[in-house]
Amino acid sequence: MPSMQEGIACSRFDSWAARVLFAIALFLFSTFSWSQEHDMGNMPGMNMDTPTAPENAAQAAKHLADKQESEFNHRLAGSFVIVAGIFIFLESYLAKRWSLVRYVWPVCFVAAGLFLLIFSDTEIWPFGPQTPWYALTHNLEDLQHKIFSIILLAIGYVELQRARGRLKAQWAPWFFPIAGVAGAILLLFHVHSGDMQAPHAMETMGHIQRQHRWFAATGTGVALANGLAGTPQKWQQLFKKAWPVLLIALGILLTQYTE
Protein backbone atom coordinates (compact mmCIF):
# COMPACT_ATOMS: atom_id res chain seq x y z
CA MET A 1 0.00 0.00 0.00
CA PRO A 2 2.74 2.59 0.77
CA SER A 3 4.27 1.98 -2.65
CA MET A 4 0.91 2.65 -4.33
CA GLN A 5 0.52 5.86 -2.34
CA GLU A 6 4.03 6.91 -3.31
CA GLY A 7 3.20 6.22 -6.97
CA ILE A 8 0.09 8.39 -6.78
CA ALA A 9 2.08 11.16 -5.08
CA CYS A 10 4.75 10.99 -7.79
CA SER A 11 2.09 11.11 -10.50
CA ARG A 12 0.51 14.18 -8.91
CA PHE A 13 3.89 15.84 -8.57
CA ASP A 14 4.72 15.18 -12.24
CA SER A 15 1.35 16.57 -13.29
CA TRP A 16 1.84 19.68 -11.18
CA ALA A 17 5.39 20.19 -12.44
CA ALA A 18 4.30 19.79 -16.06
CA ARG A 19 1.60 22.44 -15.60
CA VAL A 20 4.08 24.85 -14.07
CA LEU A 21 6.52 24.23 -16.92
CA PHE A 22 3.86 24.87 -19.56
CA ALA A 23 2.74 28.03 -17.79
CA ILE A 24 6.31 29.32 -17.81
CA ALA A 25 6.67 28.36 -21.47
CA LEU A 26 3.44 30.20 -22.33
CA PHE A 27 4.82 33.29 -20.63
CA LEU A 28 8.05 32.89 -22.55
CA PHE A 29 6.36 32.66 -25.94
CA SER A 30 4.18 35.69 -25.18
CA THR A 31 7.31 37.57 -24.19
CA PHE A 32 9.00 36.33 -27.34
CA SER A 33 6.18 37.79 -29.43
CA TRP A 34 6.40 41.08 -27.56
CA SER A 35 10.15 41.31 -28.04
CA GLN A 36 9.78 40.81 -31.80
CA GLU A 37 7.46 43.80 -31.96
CA HIS A 38 9.49 45.96 -29.60
CA ASP A 39 10.87 49.12 -31.12
CA MET A 40 14.67 49.08 -31.19
CA GLY A 41 14.70 52.84 -31.03
CA ASN A 42 13.31 52.72 -27.47
CA MET A 43 16.39 50.90 -26.18
CA PRO A 44 18.70 52.88 -23.88
CA GLY A 45 21.56 54.53 -25.65
CA MET A 46 20.00 54.29 -29.10
CA ASN A 47 19.29 57.66 -30.61
CA MET A 48 17.78 57.26 -34.04
CA ASP A 49 18.43 60.91 -34.91
CA THR A 50 22.12 61.04 -34.01
CA PRO A 51 24.42 60.56 -37.00
CA THR A 52 27.24 58.09 -36.52
CA ALA A 53 30.79 59.34 -36.74
CA PRO A 54 33.44 57.34 -38.59
CA GLU A 55 35.62 55.17 -36.36
CA ASN A 56 39.27 55.85 -35.82
CA ALA A 57 41.81 53.03 -35.98
CA ALA A 58 41.79 52.38 -32.22
CA GLN A 59 38.00 52.20 -32.03
CA ALA A 60 37.82 49.91 -35.05
CA ALA A 61 40.42 47.58 -33.54
CA LYS A 62 38.53 47.48 -30.22
CA HIS A 63 35.22 46.70 -31.91
CA LEU A 64 36.82 43.95 -33.98
CA ALA A 65 38.43 42.38 -30.90
CA ASP A 66 35.12 42.48 -28.98
CA LYS A 67 33.29 40.99 -31.96
CA GLN A 68 35.78 38.14 -32.33
CA GLU A 69 35.72 37.39 -28.60
CA SER A 70 31.93 37.28 -28.46
CA GLU A 71 31.65 35.08 -31.55
CA PHE A 72 34.28 32.69 -30.18
CA ASN A 73 32.44 32.43 -26.85
CA HIS A 74 29.14 31.56 -28.54
CA ARG A 75 30.76 29.06 -30.90
CA LEU A 76 32.69 27.27 -28.18
CA ALA A 77 29.55 27.02 -26.04
CA GLY A 78 27.71 25.71 -29.09
CA SER A 79 30.37 23.04 -29.60
CA PHE A 80 29.89 21.79 -26.02
CA VAL A 81 26.11 21.73 -26.56
CA ILE A 82 26.43 19.76 -29.82
CA VAL A 83 28.68 17.16 -28.18
CA ALA A 84 26.24 16.86 -25.27
CA GLY A 85 23.29 16.37 -27.63
CA ILE A 86 25.09 13.72 -29.66
CA PHE A 87 26.02 11.70 -26.58
CA ILE A 88 22.47 11.96 -25.19
CA PHE A 89 20.99 10.78 -28.49
CA LEU A 90 23.41 7.84 -28.75
CA GLU A 91 23.54 7.01 -25.05
CA SER A 92 21.38 3.89 -25.27
CA TYR A 93 23.69 2.48 -27.97
CA LEU A 94 27.04 3.59 -26.53
CA ALA A 95 26.19 2.47 -22.98
CA LYS A 96 26.43 -1.15 -24.11
CA ARG A 97 30.16 -0.68 -24.74
CA TRP A 98 31.03 2.23 -22.47
CA SER A 99 29.30 2.48 -19.12
CA LEU A 100 30.68 5.96 -18.41
CA VAL A 101 28.90 7.50 -21.40
CA ARG A 102 26.07 8.77 -19.19
CA TYR A 103 28.51 11.18 -17.53
CA VAL A 104 29.66 12.87 -20.75
CA TRP A 105 26.82 15.28 -21.40
CA PRO A 106 26.57 16.62 -17.83
CA VAL A 107 30.35 17.21 -17.95
CA CYS A 108 29.84 19.17 -21.20
CA PHE A 109 27.42 21.48 -19.38
CA VAL A 110 29.84 21.88 -16.48
CA ALA A 111 32.69 22.67 -18.90
CA ALA A 112 30.58 25.25 -20.76
CA GLY A 113 29.54 26.81 -17.46
CA LEU A 114 33.12 27.03 -16.19
CA PHE A 115 34.29 28.63 -19.44
CA LEU A 116 31.49 31.18 -19.33
CA LEU A 117 32.16 31.90 -15.66
CA ILE A 118 35.90 32.44 -16.02
CA PHE A 119 36.76 33.36 -19.60
CA SER A 120 33.70 35.01 -21.15
CA ASP A 121 34.47 38.60 -20.12
CA THR A 122 38.16 39.41 -20.53
CA GLU A 123 37.79 42.93 -19.11
CA ILE A 124 37.48 41.27 -15.68
CA TRP A 125 40.52 40.33 -13.56
CA PRO A 126 42.73 38.32 -14.03
CA PHE A 127 42.51 39.05 -17.78
CA GLY A 128 41.53 42.70 -17.54
CA PRO A 129 41.65 45.69 -15.18
CA GLN A 130 38.12 45.43 -13.69
CA THR A 131 37.48 43.67 -10.42
CA PRO A 132 34.70 41.05 -10.48
CA TRP A 133 32.62 43.11 -8.05
CA TYR A 134 32.90 46.26 -10.17
CA ALA A 135 32.06 44.41 -13.39
CA LEU A 136 29.03 42.63 -11.94
CA THR A 137 27.63 45.82 -10.38
CA HIS A 138 28.33 48.14 -13.33
CA ASN A 139 27.90 45.93 -16.41
CA LEU A 140 24.59 44.11 -16.88
CA GLU A 141 25.99 42.03 -19.73
CA ASP A 142 28.75 40.64 -17.50
CA LEU A 143 26.21 39.89 -14.75
CA GLN A 144 23.95 38.04 -17.17
CA HIS A 145 26.88 36.01 -18.50
CA LYS A 146 27.63 34.85 -14.96
CA ILE A 147 23.96 33.97 -14.37
CA PHE A 148 24.03 31.88 -17.57
CA SER A 149 27.18 30.16 -16.28
CA ILE A 150 25.51 29.36 -12.96
CA ILE A 151 22.50 27.86 -14.79
CA LEU A 152 24.80 25.65 -16.89
CA LEU A 153 26.84 24.60 -13.86
CA ALA A 154 23.72 23.84 -11.83
CA ILE A 155 22.19 21.72 -14.62
CA GLY A 156 25.49 19.90 -15.13
CA TYR A 157 25.91 19.21 -11.41
CA VAL A 158 22.34 17.99 -10.87
CA GLU A 159 22.43 15.73 -13.94
CA LEU A 160 25.85 14.40 -12.98
CA GLN A 161 24.58 13.47 -9.53
CA ARG A 162 21.52 11.83 -11.09
CA ALA A 163 23.76 9.82 -13.44
CA ARG A 164 25.80 8.67 -10.44
CA GLY A 165 22.64 7.59 -8.64
CA ARG A 166 23.32 10.04 -5.80
CA LEU A 167 20.30 12.28 -6.44
CA LYS A 168 16.87 10.67 -6.51
CA ALA A 169 14.72 13.50 -5.20
CA GLN A 170 11.30 13.94 -6.75
CA TRP A 171 12.16 17.40 -8.04
CA ALA A 172 15.44 16.36 -9.69
CA PRO A 173 14.05 15.34 -13.13
CA TRP A 174 12.31 18.72 -13.37
CA PHE A 175 15.39 20.80 -12.62
CA PHE A 176 16.67 20.72 -16.20
CA PRO A 177 13.41 21.79 -17.90
CA ILE A 178 12.66 24.55 -15.39
CA ALA A 179 16.23 25.89 -15.35
CA GLY A 180 16.30 25.64 -19.16
CA VAL A 181 13.14 27.71 -19.54
CA ALA A 182 14.52 30.25 -17.06
CA GLY A 183 17.68 30.55 -19.15
CA ALA A 184 15.59 30.98 -22.31
CA ILE A 185 13.61 33.80 -20.70
CA LEU A 186 16.83 35.50 -19.68
CA LEU A 187 18.08 35.27 -23.28
CA LEU A 188 15.16 37.44 -24.42
CA PHE A 189 16.39 40.19 -22.11
CA HIS A 190 20.09 39.69 -22.70
CA VAL A 191 21.91 43.01 -22.89
CA HIS A 192 24.68 43.21 -25.45
CA SER A 193 26.93 46.17 -24.78
CA GLY A 194 28.41 48.15 -27.61
CA ASP A 195 28.97 51.62 -28.94
CA MET A 196 25.57 52.75 -30.16
CA GLN A 197 27.21 55.58 -32.07
CA ALA A 198 29.35 53.17 -34.10
CA PRO A 199 28.59 52.68 -37.80
CA HIS A 200 25.71 50.24 -38.42
CA ALA A 201 25.12 49.89 -34.66
CA MET A 202 21.34 49.60 -35.05
CA GLU A 203 21.61 46.90 -37.71
CA THR A 204 24.16 44.98 -35.66
CA MET A 205 22.04 45.10 -32.50
CA GLY A 206 18.94 43.99 -34.38
CA HIS A 207 20.88 41.09 -35.90
CA ILE A 208 22.16 40.05 -32.44
CA GLN A 209 18.67 40.21 -30.91
CA ARG A 210 17.15 38.09 -33.69
CA GLN A 211 19.74 35.39 -33.07
CA HIS A 212 19.10 35.43 -29.33
CA ARG A 213 15.37 35.03 -29.97
CA TRP A 214 16.12 31.88 -31.97
CA PHE A 215 18.35 30.66 -29.12
CA ALA A 216 15.50 31.30 -26.66
CA ALA A 217 12.87 29.58 -28.81
CA THR A 218 15.05 26.51 -29.43
CA GLY A 219 16.10 26.40 -25.77
CA THR A 220 12.44 26.39 -24.76
CA GLY A 221 11.85 23.46 -27.09
CA VAL A 222 14.75 21.60 -25.48
CA ALA A 223 13.39 22.25 -21.98
CA LEU A 224 9.81 21.25 -22.82
CA ALA A 225 10.87 18.11 -24.68
CA ASN A 226 13.15 17.13 -21.80
CA GLY A 227 10.32 17.54 -19.30
CA LEU A 228 7.92 15.50 -21.45
CA ALA A 229 10.58 12.82 -21.99
CA GLY A 230 10.58 12.24 -18.24
CA THR A 231 6.78 12.19 -17.93
CA PRO A 232 4.91 8.91 -18.57
CA GLN A 233 2.59 9.59 -21.51
CA LYS A 234 1.86 8.38 -25.03
CA TRP A 235 4.67 10.27 -26.76
CA GLN A 236 7.36 9.79 -24.12
CA GLN A 237 9.72 7.79 -26.35
CA LEU A 238 9.41 10.37 -29.11
CA PHE A 239 10.37 13.19 -26.74
CA LYS A 240 13.32 11.15 -25.46
CA LYS A 241 14.76 11.39 -28.97
CA ALA A 242 13.44 14.87 -29.74
CA TRP A 243 15.12 16.78 -26.93
CA PRO A 244 18.74 15.83 -27.79
CA VAL A 245 18.00 16.62 -31.45
CA LEU A 246 16.77 20.07 -30.42
CA LEU A 247 19.85 20.43 -28.21
CA ILE A 248 22.07 19.73 -31.21
CA ALA A 249 20.07 22.29 -33.22
CA LEU A 250 20.66 24.86 -30.47
CA GLY A 251 24.37 24.10 -30.54
CA ILE A 252 24.46 24.56 -34.31
CA LEU A 253 22.70 27.93 -33.99
CA LEU A 254 25.28 29.00 -31.41
CA THR A 255 28.19 27.98 -33.64
CA GLN A 256 26.71 30.08 -36.46
CA TYR A 257 26.49 33.22 -34.29
CA THR A 258 27.81 36.41 -35.89
CA GLU A 259 27.83 40.10 -35.02
Side-chain angles (χ1 to χ4, degrees):
M1 184 64 66
S3 61
M4 182 178 296
Q5 291 176 342
E6 289 176 2
I8 294 173
C10 288
S11 177
R12 288 177 178 174
F13 178 84
D14 287 343
S15 176
W16 175 85
R19 290 173 185 174
V20 171
L21 184 62
F22 276 112
I24 295 173
L26 182 62
F27 167 78
L28 176 61
F29 281 117
S30 64
T31 306
F32 178 80
S33 300
W34 171 85
S35 66
Q36 286 184 310
E37 299 173 357
H38 189 56
D39 182 9
M40 290 281 293
N42 292 332
M43 292 182 61
M46 288 191 175
N47 189 340
M48 298 286 291
D49 300 323
T50 303
T52 58
E55 292 181 310
N56 58 40
Q59 290 173 326
K62 177 66 166 60
H63 290 157
L64 179 60
D66 290 343
K67 173 181 180 294
Q68 292 175 336
E69 179 182 328
S70 181
E71 289 178 347
F72 174 78
N73 291 345
H74 283 80
R75 291 170 185 177
L76 182 62
S79 298
F80 280 122
V81 171
I82 290 172
V83 172
I86 290 173
F87 273 91
I88 295 166
F89 188 82
L90 298 176
E91 183 174 329
S92 59
Y93 306 101
L94 297 177
K96 299 173 183 177
R97 298 183 178 181
W98 185 30
S99 61
L100 298 179
V101 70
R102 64 185 183 276
Y103 300 128
V104 174
W105 80 264
V107 169
C108 287
F109 272 68
V110 171
L114 286 174
F115 174 81
L116 197 58
L117 181 67
I118 300 170
F119 300 102
S120 62
D121 303 291
T122 54
E123 69 273 13
I124 302 176
W125 183 91
F127 307 103
Q130 296 182 12
T131 64
W133 175 254
Y134 179 88
L136 296 181
T137 55
H138 289 76
N139 190 321
L140 184 57
E141 182 181 11
D142 290 349
L143 176 61
Q144 289 179 335
H145 284 165
K146 304 318 173 192
I147 294 174
F148 286 129
S149 72
I150 291 171
I151 291 174
L152 288 169
L153 287 169
I155 289 175
Y157 175 79
V158 168
E159 294 298 332
L160 192 58
Q161 294 306 308
R162 290 185 66 207
R164 297 175 63 197
R166 300 289 184 86
L167 183 58
K168 299 180 180 179
Q170 216 171 9
W171 56 264
W174 289 99
F175 186 82
F176 183 108
I178 292 176
V181 169
I185 292 174
L186 185 59
L187 275 171
L188 291 177
F189 300 96
H190 183 42
V191 174
H192 199 282
S193 62
D195 184 1
M196 291 300 103
Q197 303 307 316
H200 309 296
M202 291 291 293
E203 293 86 347
T204 299
M205 189 58 67
H207 177 63
I208 290 170
Q209 288 193 335
R210 283 190 295 273
Q211 291 177 99
H212 280 82
R213 289 177 191 137
W214 277 109
F215 299 159
T218 310
T220 303
V222 172
L224 289 174
N226 176 274
L228 291 170
T231 305
Q233 35 82 24
K234 181 179 179 180
W235 305 103
Q236 185 178 17
Q237 294 303 314
L238 174 63
F239 286 114
K240 283 184 177 181
K241 294 299 183 183
W243 84 267
V245 171
L246 288 170
L247 193 64
I248 294 170
L250 175 59
I252 293 172
L253 288 174
L254 286 165
T255 60
Q256 301 301 308
Y257 177 81
T258 57
E259 294 187 3

